[in-house]
Amino acid sequence: MNGAVGSSDSNDGSNLRPRAYQLEMFEESKRRNIIVAMDTGSGKTQIAVMRIGAELEICSPEKLVWFLAPTVSLCQQQYEVISTLLPAFQCRFLSGIDNVEYWGEQHIWDAALTNVRIVVSTHQILFDALTHGFVSMNNLALIVFDEAHHCTQSHAANRIMRHFYHPLLEQEDASIPHILGLTACPNTTGKVDGLQIVEQNLDAVSKTPKLHRQELLQYVHPPELRQVVYPPPEMEDPKSLRVLRTLYENLDIRKDPYVVALSLSQDTNDQRQLKRTLLNKKTYCQDQLRKFLQKAEHIHEELGAWATSFYISSCIAKFTAAVRANTQLQLECNDEEIDYLYKKLTGTETQIFCPELSASSTQISPKVECFIDVLVEESSLSFTGLAFVQQRATVAVLSHLLSVHPRTKHLLKCGTFVGASGNPRRKDSIGDLVDITGQWDSLKQLKESKKNLVIGTSVLEEGIDISACHIVICFSKPPNLRSFIQRRGRARKAKSKYVLMFGGDEHSATTDKYSQLEQEMKGAYEDDMRLVQNLRAREDINEADGYQYRVESTGALLILDSAKHHLYHFCATVSTKKYVDVRPEFFISEDASTGRLSASVLLPSSVDSSLRTAHGSSSWNTEKMAKKDACFQAYVALHKGGLVNDNLLPVLSDEEEDPDESFLSKIPAIVAVSELFNPWIGVAEKMQHADTLYSSTVQGMAFPLYWTENETYEVTISTSKTACYTIKDLPTVSSVTHLLLFSVFRSRIKEIRLDFPAFFCPNLKPQLLDAWYSSMAGTRAATDIFSLGVGNIEVGLIRDISDHGKVHIFKSLTKGAFIACQSEGDVSSTEEVFIEASKFPKRRDFLHPAVEVLRSTSDAPKSTAYLPADRYVVEALIGAAYLDGGMNRALSCLRTFLPELPWLSLSNRHASLYGRIALTVPLPPHFLELEELIGYKFNKKLLLIEAMTHPSFQGETAREPYQRLEFLGDAVLDNIVVSNIFEQKEISHQDMHLMRTVLVNADFLTFLCLEWSIGQERFDIIGDPKTKTFHEIETSVSHQFWKFMRHGSRNIAQLQQDCMRLHVGLRDRILDALLRGTKYPWTLLAALDGERYKFFSDIIESLLGAVYVDSKGDMAVCALVAEKIGILRYLRRILAEDIRLLHPKEELGRVAVNAKVRYLWESQEDEEEKEEEETRQEQEKEATKGDGYGEGEEKKEKQVWCVVEVGNRRIVRVQRTGNKIEAETRAAEQAIDILTREKEEMMGAGKRDEIEDDGHGGVSKDDGECEPEAHGEHMGNIEEGADEDDMSEDERDGAGKKTQSGRDERESEAGENEPSRPCSLM
């Protein structure tokens, strides 16, 4: 069961962690049929999705869940939410656009519902399907009634229950679906028995949170009710309205195309119809113009003269333009009728026009004037509003009016929403002006603050997910109590307002009615607030407790008051994964007879299942004490279970990361500590005001430095109180310190840095220090040193510029003959200078000798063995043992090096792992399909469930998350890949590491996870509504592996959809590169951003770990699964073909030779450019004020470019279109192409001299295309190449098992890339 969301603002935070009151309703819905009665925005949809997921995990695979909503728009929204948050189950949305009412055969319905587990539709569709026997109540496991208050009288919702559900109650063995209702107002009639009627009709009990009522009220903000009275309109009809009215009144019925056609017919029926038509004047053309006129008159009454002229002229222009362009019009008429209307309307075009709108109140109605006053008064930077109007045409015109009115055009960004019937046969009319294509985008942009006002019809009242608003304005008064309550619920921001607009002539008749409603509403709020106060007063009751738990060995004490803080601290240490809410969950129960409360607590899924749940030992008067009791019992159990030590602190390993306790910001710290002492702050402050510098001399006899295995130095530091340097010597002292540090830590010390908290200098007098620095600074060619006859002792470090500037220690310098063979039989020799040197040691830790390992055997005395200095020798020995005698011999080798660990035989270890897993856990029905996809049937189903359970998944069925299995699966995957690669004896060590990297990195595994799917049968229904003939077409729906992952995070649900969209755009190119390309698609895979979506690769590895445990270590079975995933298929290709696998960033480092590679970032705008851009946009908005119906121009996103520099030369600039790693990788690829092409051109021209750098270079165009350097400009050979020795071999070899992002971040921040380091995307 996945989590779910409610309304857009009802679930803040990154997790789908349900609130306590939502869990209370969810648990209640599992016990019996209920109607969840909670305010708009409190998260009813989340309860429904949790309930649907729970039902589908236990019900038969043949049963359906049917979700019902009153409108097509609401159905569409809920379908998107459910299909996104429950991707493991196939969901289908049925509406009039599918021509469902013509599906007249059983096989059509059977085909449409094949493999479908969730159906979303309006009530009428289900009622019709039940009526004709195409769907049976016995086939339904759960019916969800959204806006359940509709289940009254003759509504389709009530007819479903009355005719098909209630009769089953009288049958003993009938299979009856569960019922869940959702509503913000269960009683919309205002009658005393209204609620009871709805409950009886739905066979359910209305429930609102009781135990967690206080929390619910914290998330519901009652708006301030405000009434606005506008004066009655006193406006003359504009010319456009008079012209349209005259046109309609002067229509000659005998010239109507329909009447003309009837007159020419000799049929008796047509003649009778002709007589009726001449009397009632009901023809299509008459109806179109009459409705057009009625809408125009309504707009004139509501909005005023200017809006009427705009509406009439816009509708005529829209219709006539479509006719001229021969556009297919959705009008229910023939060509003769269209021509007739066209001629009539074009005759008025010269008389109808729309003037420019000014601030004059004569152009708009008093109602609009008051409406604008309210908007201007309430406007702010964070303003969001919703306005309800009566007619669709008013929506479009009012939105456009506000977008061009001088008082509002700079304040408001308007959107519109009118809904849609979903009926493909619904025809347009001449008076339809609103464009429904972008209405869903309007709601999305309101959430994103790109729009701040949405104008809509009553369709927005119910269910539609709208961002919480600061103000809701009823431009047209609510027609009934239900509308009044539903609209009010949209104003749920803190300190929001609910505005009702009344005309002066109607105010006296309606004020009393709405005043009574206001008083009832205020009374309900006051009751709620009194309830909150009573609850808070109850929680303040002091209840005595004598709970104590003391650890005898340490004296540590746990009491009831501190137990909750201890438990929260413990939960913070169990996981640092993203999207995981580690807070404990509490469940409160009330004794019906005494009213006393007891609590239980559920710990995060990372805790062992035997310790996850704890129950309070007593009942209490307050919820606060009940929770403390549960926390106390839980913490005692954790101590007894070994997860808390004898000091009552969580047991953490040395490598454990700092726990994420961000959510504890409001909880007092357990122990108050002082701020971490930073000595360098005081040093820096002293140095700013120091006149002299004091020295500390480094000399012998204090602590040993283990230089080599045979050389050890002893060092001490003595402090001198004698001032040896003045502040005037500081520049020289700083330069000397930089010289010493830069000579060894070349890639870590910036060349221009001279600020140090401590200085290092030779023990010389100040007057000699400048001379020493001059003699040591800089570099010299080896030939110069030899020619000058400098003694060996004056030579410093040696750098080999042909090998990335590797550091060596000088030994000697000699001349010798270099013999070269120029041609066959022609030998020549030249005198060269040779340097004898030793490599600078990689080792940086000189404070510790080699590690000693003691080994003892039963037949030999204890002896001492020394661990080799290079741990890779140990790994090589273990590998040799494995090849020589299999796993048993490798284990013997491991026992030698690590005797303190309990090394069991492999078979015993497998049996131990297998034996820890329970056998009795049932597999969710939809996981049977997952086993089919994997190609392996699990003996212990719990392993598969755990492998697919993300740590964010909460609830009693959460089980263990996949983290431990993912850790194991990572090693299993390594074993599979390495074993296959190692069989190829001709592959070098470096190439083997590279192959492993390309096969196990997160981006590659993410792509395979998105690709791996099983085909599900699905049928599309097509046909002709006119002939009422339909048939099914078989298709296949890909059910991807990732959809089976169980999680509880709203962010994950959104990230899954985001990654799928990326995958769709990249899939063909990535597949082509993997199947046919000559180089590994690093850039394309980086665009998938596998680190951001790492849960995709995690479940691949956790699945392999689960198979390994379940098969008792059968690597052949694991390899078969890896084969199905697609890993081994690509491995065979890179083994058989010559594929370029090197990462572009590493390859660029090699192409650059000794030059330093930097990845720099540039943005489009500085602060001045931003101001200019905003001014330009405002000017463009004014210039286009007549377009778009209030759709303002959106602000362009800031553009960012990645620039590659080699040495001091800019090689290429590419625009960032995705994540940072992708941009840098793409830039590296383009830089390689440019430098390679230049090298080839120079080689062809005979230019083989070393290239000199002049500091300039070509830059790509903004669209990412590259411009190479001019032929006269070259890349420099910089001695500042990165020192490969600074990276240990384990960092290079392990690159394939880490993410690239961390290293790339450091490179980018430092402004450089060390070219010899290998890069991977894992």
Side-chain angles (χ1 to χ4, degrees):
M1 179 188 69
N2 293 53
V5 297
S7 64
S8 60
D9 62 310
S10 62
N11 294 285
D12 298 330
S14 62
N15 299 312
L16 272 174
R17 169 80 171 268
R19 296 180 180 132
Y21 65 83
Q22 292 168 329
L23 285 173
E24 180 185 339
M25 293 293 94
F26 169 61
E27 294 296 331
E28 189 67 28
S29 72
K30 292 193 296 182
R31 287 191 285 269
R32 56 178 170 175
N33 296 344
I34 67 168
I35 303 169
V36 178
M38 298 194 314
D39 288 324
T40 302
S42 55
K44 296 185 294 293
T45 304
Q46 176 165 351
I47 298 170
V49 177
M50 289 193 296
R51 183 68 183 89
I52 292 171
E55 187 66 33
L56 291 176
E57 285 204 347
I58 60 175
C59 72
S60 169
E62 288 76 30
K63 288 198 176 267
L64 295 171
V65 171
W66 209 293
F67 190 102
L68 299 170
T71 65
V72 174
S73 298
L74 180 53
C75 285
Q76 180 180 346
Q77 172 192 289
Q78 301 296 46
Y79 165 75
E80 292 174 355
V81 170
I82 294 170
S83 58
T84 297
L85 299 173
L86 297 174
F89 307 101
Q90 196 176 136
C91 186
R92 186 152 201 161
F93 172 36
L94 300 179
S95 68
I97 201 170
D98 300 307
N99 296 297
V100 180
E101 60 268 39
Y102 294 117
W103 294 2
E105 299 178 63
Q106 184 66 51
H107 69 91
I108 297 293
W109 279 92
D110 292 341
L113 299 179
T114 299
N115 291 322
V116 173
R117 303 301 311 282
I118 308 170
V119 180
V120 180
S121 76
T122 57
H123 304 89
Q124 190 64 44
I125 288 178
L126 177 58
F127 175 74
D128 291 340
L130 291 168
T131 299
H132 298 292
F134 298 132
V135 175
S136 170
M137 273 286 178
N138 295 326
N139 297 331
L140 305 182
L142 171 68
I143 306 177
V144 181
F145 289 85
D146 201 0
E147 308 300 338
H149 50 265
H150 287 284
C151 193
T152 58
Q153 300 179 352
S154 61
H155 193 279
N158 192 29
R159 286 184 286 162
I160 290 171
M161 298 299 294
R162 182 195 309 159
H163 298 296
F164 300 101
Y165 177 89
H166 286 285
L168 295 178
L169 297 177
E170 301 175 0
Q171 302 177 18
E172 293 183 1
D173 299 330
S175 176
I176 304 175
H178 301 287
I179 302 296
L180 175 63
L182 309 173
T183 183
C185 181
N187 182 6
T188 61
T189 65
K191 298 180 180 179
V192 175
D193 60 347
L195 176 59
Q196 288 77 12
I197 291 174
V198 174
E199 290 181 330
Q200 291 172 5
N201 293 343
L202 284 174
D203 187 34
V205 178
S206 180
K207 286 288 182 181
T208 190
K210 179 180 179 183
L211 301 175
H212 300 280
R213 179 74 172 165
Q214 181 179 359
E215 182 184 16
L216 171 60
L217 295 176
Q218 291 173 356
Y219 293 100
V220 177
H221 306 287
E224 173 191 342
L225 183 61
R226 176 182 174 188
Q227 297 184 33
V228 175
V229 180
Y230 56 89
E234 297 179 358
M235 302 176 293
E236 295 183 357
D237 292 347
K239 180 180 180 180
S240 58
L241 182 59
R242 296 196 301 270
V243 170
L244 181 61
R245 185 180 294 116
T246 301
L247 171 66
Y248 174 70
E249 292 173 348
N250 292 337
L251 287 176
D252 186 349
I253 188 63
R254 294 185 178 276
K255 294 181 180 180
D256 190 288
Y258 181 64
V259 173
V260 171
L262 292 176
S263 301
L264 297 176
S265 174
Q266 302 300 319
D267 185 80
T268 304
N269 292 329
D270 287 345
Q271 291 301 314
R272 284 196 298 266
Q273 180 63 34
L274 175 62
K275 292 180 181 180
R276 288 194 297 269
T277 303
L278 290 174
L279 291 175
N280 58 33
K281 295 185 178 183
K282 290 185 177 180
T283 68
Y284 177 80
C285 294
Q286 289 273 344
D287 286 345
Q288 283 288 307
L289 291 175
R290 185 183 68 255
K291 292 176 181 177
F292 185 21
L293 176 60
Q294 290 173 345
K295 292 178 181 178
E297 290 175 337
H298 176 78
I299 287 177
H300 178 244
E301 181 181 355
E302 291 281 283
L303 307 183
W306 183 90
T308 307
S309 299
F310 168 77
Y311 171 69
I312 295 174
S313 60
S314 297
C315 288
I316 293 175
K318 178 182 177 182
F319 174 74
T320 56
V323 175
R324 293 188 187 107
N326 198 24
T327 304
Q328 185 68 33
L329 296 171
Q330 294 294 320
L331 298 175
E332 199 171 9
C333 58
N334 55 39
D335 292 341
E336 290 77 12
E337 290 170 321
I338 291 178
D339 290 339
Y340 177 78
L341 291 172
Y342 176 76
K343 291 176 182 178
K344 291 293 183 182
L345 293 174
T346 52
T348 66
E349 284 185 312
T350 58
Q351 304 176 61
I352 296 176
F353 66 95
C354 180
E356 183 177 353
L357 180 62
S358 66
S360 172
S361 60
T362 60
Q363 290 185 297
I364 59 176
S365 68
K367 187 174 184 178
V368 173
E369 188 74 25
C370 290
F371 181 62
I372 291 176
D373 289 341
V374 173
L375 292 173
V376 172
E377 179 184 344
E378 298 293 336
S379 64
S380 64
L381 292 176
S382 59
F383 169 84
T384 54
L386 189 62
F388 286 95
V389 301
Q390 184 176 346
Q391 294 189 4
R392 293 162 61 97
T394 310
V395 171
V397 179
L398 182 57
S399 173
H400 180 67
L401 187 153
L402 294 176
S403 71
V404 298
H405 194 280
R407 295 181 63 195
T408 56
K409 63 182 180 180
H410 297 305
L411 293 177
L412 302 176
K413 293 174 286 184
C414 297
T416 60
F417 195 94
V418 296
S421 69
N423 189 342
R425 296 180 305 286
R426 184 186 186 279
K427 301 301 180 180
D428 293 334
S429 69
I430 296 175
D432 282 340
L433 186 60
V434 66
D435 182 11
I436 66 173
T437 56
Q439 59 180 356
W440 288 103
D441 289 336
S442 294
L443 299 185
K444 180 181 178 182
Q445 291 168 351
L446 183 67
K447 295 179 185 178
E448 298 171 349
S449 299
K450 294 180 179 178
K451 294 189 182 300
N452 56 12
L453 179 67
V454 170
I455 302 172
T457 59
S458 59
V459 72
L460 282 176
E461 291 175 357
E462 293 185 329
I464 300 296
D465 185 13
I466 303 174
S467 178
C469 297
H470 294 92
I471 187 170
V472 171
I473 304 176
C474 293
F475 189 81
S476 300
K477 67 178 185 292
N480 50 47
L481 176 60
R482 176 184 57 80
S483 293
F484 175 82
I485 295 174
Q486 295 281 14
R487 294 181 182 184
R488 184 197 69 194
R490 296 303 184 188
R492 55 183 184 269
K493 284 281 190 182
K495 298 182 180 180
S496 57
K497 294 182 179 180
Y498 183 38
V499 179
L500 301 175
M501 298 190 67
F502 297 103
D505 55 347
E506 64 179 352
H507 182 251
S508 59
T510 56
T511 300
D512 292 342
K513 173 184 175 182
Y514 283 99
S515 295
Q516 181 180 356
L517 291 176
E518 181 183 10
Q519 292 303 319
E520 293 176 359
M521 182 177 66
K522 288 183 177 178
Y525 294 157
E526 290 170 359
D527 289 343
D528 285 342
M529 295 310 297
R530 279 194 295 269
L531 179 57
V532 172
Q533 293 171 1
N534 292 338
L535 289 170
R536 289 174 178 169
R538 182 178 178 180
E539 291 300 312
D540 290 336
I541 298 175
N542 292 320
E543 297 185 79
D545 69 270
Y547 285 60
Q548 287 189 354
Y549 178 76
R550 188 181 299 276
V551 181
E552 296 299 332
S553 61
T554 62
L557 179 66
L558 178 70
I559 59 175
L560 208 62
D561 281 339
S562 64
K564 188 175 181 181
H565 299 305
H566 279 298
L567 190 63
Y568 269 78
H569 175 69
F570 170 83
C571 291
T573 67
V574 299
S575 175
T576 55
K577 286 278 187 178
K578 287 183 178 180
Y579 321 120
V580 179
D581 192 336
V582 296
R583 292 173 296 179
E585 291 184 43
F586 294 95
F587 302 90
I588 307 298
S589 59
E590 183 177 9
D591 190 312
S593 59
T594 64
R596 290 175 65 84
L597 305 175
S598 59
S600 60
V601 62
L602 182 67
L603 304 186
S605 58
S606 301
V607 180
D608 187 89
S609 57
S610 64
L611 299 173
R612 281 194 71 201
T613 304
H615 304 276
S617 61
S618 302
S619 60
W620 305 82
N621 290 322
T622 64
E623 178 182 323
K624 174 180 63 177
M625 295 303 296
K627 288 182 178 180
K628 288 182 178 181
D629 186 8
C631 291
F632 183 89
Q633 304 302 330
Y635 211 73
V636 170
L638 290 172
H639 176 253
K640 294 179 178 179
L643 298 184
V644 172
N645 63 23
D646 287 345
N647 297 106
L648 296 179
L649 293 173
V651 176
L652 297 176
S653 62
D654 293 338
E655 293 79 14
E656 188 77 26
E657 295 182 7
D658 292 335
D660 178 12
E661 297 187 14
S662 58
F663 66 87
L664 295 175
S665 58
K666 296 183 180 180
I667 298 177
I670 295 175
V671 178
V673 297
S674 302
E675 184 180 357
L676 184 66
F677 177 64
N678 186 349
W680 302 115
I681 297 177
V683 172
E685 291 176 348
K686 293 290 186 182
M687 288 180 59
Q688 289 179 348
H689 307 288
D691 295 328
T692 56
L693 300 176
Y694 296 87
S695 66
S696 297
T697 304
V698 178
Q699 56 189 16
M701 302 305 295
F703 57 87
L705 286 182
Y706 299 93
W707 184 249
T708 66
E709 294 180 1
N710 301 320
E711 293 180 273
T712 301
Y713 298 97
E714 301 219 353
V715 178
T716 188
I717 297 178
S718 63
T719 302
S720 172
K721 294 185 179 180
T722 304
C724 53
Y725 297 106
T726 67
I727 198 65
K728 296 180 180 179
D729 301 318
L730 185 60
T732 303
V733 173
S734 299
S735 299
V736 171
T737 301
H738 179 274
L739 176 64
L740 293 173
L741 296 177
F742 188 71
S743 64
V744 179
F745 304 106
R746 195 181 187 96
S747 64
R748 305 181 189 179
I749 302 296
K750 292 184 178 180
E751 190 170 0
I752 60 172
R753 177 178 177 177
L754 295 175
D755 58 321
F756 299 98
F759 302 101
F760 297 89
C761 294
N763 193 10
L764 297 173
K765 295 180 178 180
Q767 57 269 30
L768 300 178
L769 196 58
D770 281 326
W772 182 91
Y773 176 75
S774 300
S775 66
M776 293 298 175
T779 61
R780 293 182 179 179
T783 53
D784 294 342
I785 295 176
F786 190 87
S787 62
L788 293 174
V790 179
N792 293 350
I793 199 168
E794 297 183 25
V795 177
L797 296 176
I798 304 295
R799 289 186 178 272
D800 185 358
I801 61 172
S802 67
D803 191 9
H804 306 291
K806 283 188 176 179
V807 183
H808 298 73
I809 299 175
F810 180 79
K811 286 189 175 180
S812 64
L813 185 68
T814 59
K815 279 189 177 181
F818 177 76
I819 301 176
C821 185
Q822 297 178 342
S823 60
E824 185 176 356
D826 186 7
V827 178
S828 63
S829 64
T830 57
E831 190 176 53
E832 296 287 346
V833 175
F834 290 91
I835 300 173
E836 182 183 0
S838 60
K839 281 189 176 181
F840 196 82
K842 294 181 181 179
R843 188 164 161 234
R844 296 294 185 263
D845 180 9
F846 299 99
L847 299 178
H848 303 90
V851 179
E852 292 187 359
V853 177
L854 299 179
R855 178 183 62 175
S856 62
T857 60
S858 58
D859 56 352
K862 291 185 177 180
S863 61
T864 301
Y866 288 90
L867 195 66
D870 194 338
R871 73 176 178 86
Y872 301 100
V873 176
V874 177
E875 294 178 354
L877 290 173
I878 297 170
Y882 176 78
L883 293 175
D884 183 57
M887 187 57 72
N888 289 333
R889 186 65 60 86
L891 286 171
S892 298
C893 186
L894 283 168
R895 290 191 190 98
T896 300
F897 291 112
L898 299 171
E900 66 277 8
L901 296 180
W903 295 98
L904 300 178
S905 67
L906 203 58
S907 58
N908 289 341
R909 181 63 70 189
H910 291 153
S912 174
L913 289 174
Y914 186 83
R916 296 178 183 178
I917 309 301
L919 277 171
T920 57
V921 177
L923 196 66
H926 64 289
F927 270 37
L928 297 174
E929 185 183 27
L930 177 58
E931 284 190 323
E932 182 182 351
L933 170 63
I934 298 169
Y936 177 79
K937 189 175 181 64
F938 279 80
N939 299 302
K940 296 199 172 184
K941 308 300 183 183
L942 181 59
L943 282 166
L944 181 57
I945 297 174
E946 289 183 3
M948 303 304 295
T949 300
H950 188 270
S952 66
F953 185 76
Q954 298 291 333
E956 295 178 358
T957 62
R959 309 295 177 188
E960 295 287 339
Y962 63 55
Q963 293 162 298
R964 287 173 58 85
L965 289 175
E966 182 249 333
F967 177 78
L968 176 62
D970 180 73
V972 172
L973 178 58
D974 260 354
N975 184 281
I976 294 170
V977 171
V978 170
S979 297
N980 281 271
I981 295 175
F982 194 80
E983 293 175 357
Q984 312 297 318
K985 299 185 181 300
E986 68 278 6
I987 300 178
S988 68
H989 172 260
Q990 281 187 329
D991 287 342
M992 285 193 292
H993 279 287
L994 188 56
M995 288 181 179
R996 184 185 67 174
T997 298
V998 302
L999 290 168
V1000 302
N1001 68 76
D1003 294 321
F1004 182 66
L1005 294 181
T1006 294
F1007 178 75
L1008 295 182
C1009 184
L1010 294 168
E1011 284 288 304
W1012 194 22
S1013 63
I1014 185 171
Q1016 258 191 0
E1017 191 179 29
R1018 187 182 175 102
F1019 292 90
D1020 291 332
I1021 311 301
I1022 63 171
D1024 186 357
K1026 295 181 179 179
T1027 62
K1028 299 181 181 180
T1029 56
F1030 289 84
H1031 62 279
E1032 63 271 25
I1033 295 181
E1034 183 177 354
T1035 60
S1036 179
V1037 177
S1038 295
H1039 204 185
Q1040 288 92 350
F1041 170 72
W1042 63 265
K1043 291 183 177 180
F1044 292 94
M1045 185 181 79
R1046 310 193 310 167
H1047 67 84
S1049 168
R1050 178 174 53 187
N1051 275 3
I1052 288 181
Q1054 184 60 53
L1055 289 172
Q1056 286 175 334
Q1057 299 304 312
D1058 294 344
C1059 193
M1060 278 300 298
R1061 285 190 285 270
L1062 287 174
H1063 173 253
V1064 170
L1066 297 167
R1067 180 178 186 270
D1068 291 342
R1069 287 181 290 166
I1070 294 177
L1071 278 179
D1072 183 68
L1074 293 176
L1075 298 177
R1076 291 171 290 275
T1078 59
K1079 65 178 182 179
Y1080 187 77
W1082 284 109
T1083 301
L1084 292 173
L1085 289 173
L1088 280 179
D1089 204 353
E1091 174 60 20
R1092 184 184 183 196
Y1093 309 109
K1094 192 173 183 297
F1095 44 82
F1096 287 114
S1097 58
D1098 284 347
I1099 56 175
I1100 289 285
E1101 294 174 338
S1102 65
L1103 174 66
L1104 288 171
V1107 172
Y1108 179 83
V1109 176
D1110 193 70
S1111 65
K1112 298 181 181 179
D1114 192 334
M1115 292 302 300
V1117 174
C1118 297
L1120 289 176
V1121 176
E1123 179 69 48
K1124 289 183 71 70
I1125 296 171
I1127 299 171
L1128 298 185
R1129 178 184 181 185
Y1130 190 64
L1131 173 58
R1132 288 192 294 272
R1133 181 166 188 258
I1134 62 177
L1135 289 173
E1137 303 179 30
D1138 185 17
I1139 309 296
R1140 286 172 54 192
L1141 302 179
L1142 200 62
H1143 192 279
K1145 294 179 74 173
E1146 182 178 358
E1147 186 175 352
L1148 178 59
R1150 296 186 179 185
V1151 171
V1153 193
N1154 297 322
K1156 187 174 293 186
V1157 180
R1158 295 180 177 88
Y1159 295 87
L1160 309 177
W1161 290 92
E1162 296 179 348
S1163 60
Q1164 179 188 22
E1165 304 165 346
D1166 56 21
E1167 293 301 323
E1168 294 181 355
E1169 290 173 335
K1170 287 182 181 179
E1171 294 178 3
E1172 294 174 0
E1173 180 69 8
E1174 290 172 358
T1175 302
R1176 183 189 64 78
Q1177 290 183 2
E1178 291 296 333
Q1179 292 172 349
E1180 289 184 359
K1181 287 179 183 178
E1182 282 201 62
T1184 59
K1185 61 183 178 181
D1187 300 327
Y1189 300 98
E1191 301 284 342
E1193 180 182 345
E1194 303 299 340
K1195 188 176 180 179
K1196 296 180 180 179
E1197 292 186 1
K1198 181 179 179 180
Q1199 294 179 331
V1200 180
W1201 290 272
C1202 176
V1203 178
V1204 176
E1205 284 190 359
V1206 178
N1208 293 324
R1209 174 188 169 190
R1210 292 164 61 95
I1211 303 298
V1212 69
R1213 185 179 78 162
V1214 300
Q1215 184 174 344
R1216 176 174 175 174
T1217 56
N1219 64 79
K1220 184 176 181 180
I1221 298 174
E1222 185 275 337
E1224 291 184 350
T1225 308
R1226 177 158 47 91
E1229 279 190 334
Q1230 296 184 11
I1232 292 169
D1233 292 341
I1234 292 173
L1235 296 179
T1236 302
R1237 184 168 61 250
E1238 288 180 350
K1239 183 177 180 181
E1240 292 173 351
E1241 291 173 356
M1242 287 188 293
M1243 294 293 289
K1247 297 181 179 180
R1248 305 183 185 278
D1249 295 333
E1250 186 175 358
I1251 306 170
E1252 296 180 353
D1253 179 22
D1254 65 358
H1256 299 283
V1259 179
S1260 73
K1261 301 176 183 178
D1262 289 352
D1263 60 3
E1265 296 178 359
C1266 306
E1267 294 181 358
E1269 297 292 335
H1271 289 294
E1273 300 173 343
H1274 309 291
M1275 180 184 68
N1277 184 4
I1278 309 300
E1279 187 187 355
E1280 299 174 352
D1283 188 357
E1284 190 179 25
D1285 288 339
D1286 288 341
M1287 172 181 267
S1288 64
E1289 189 173 351
D1290 62 324
E1291 287 176 311
R1292 294 192 296 270
D1293 293 346
K1297 303 305 293 177
K1298 301 176 182 177
T1299 61
Q1300 185 189 9
S1301 60
R1303 184 162 59 248
D1304 286 347
E1305 292 289 344
R1306 293 192 297 271
E1307 291 168 352
S1308 299
E1309 290 172 5
E1312 64 183 56
N1313 175 42
E1314 300 182 9
S1316 62
R1317 298 188 181 187
C1319 298
S1320 75
L1321 294 179
M1322 178 57 180

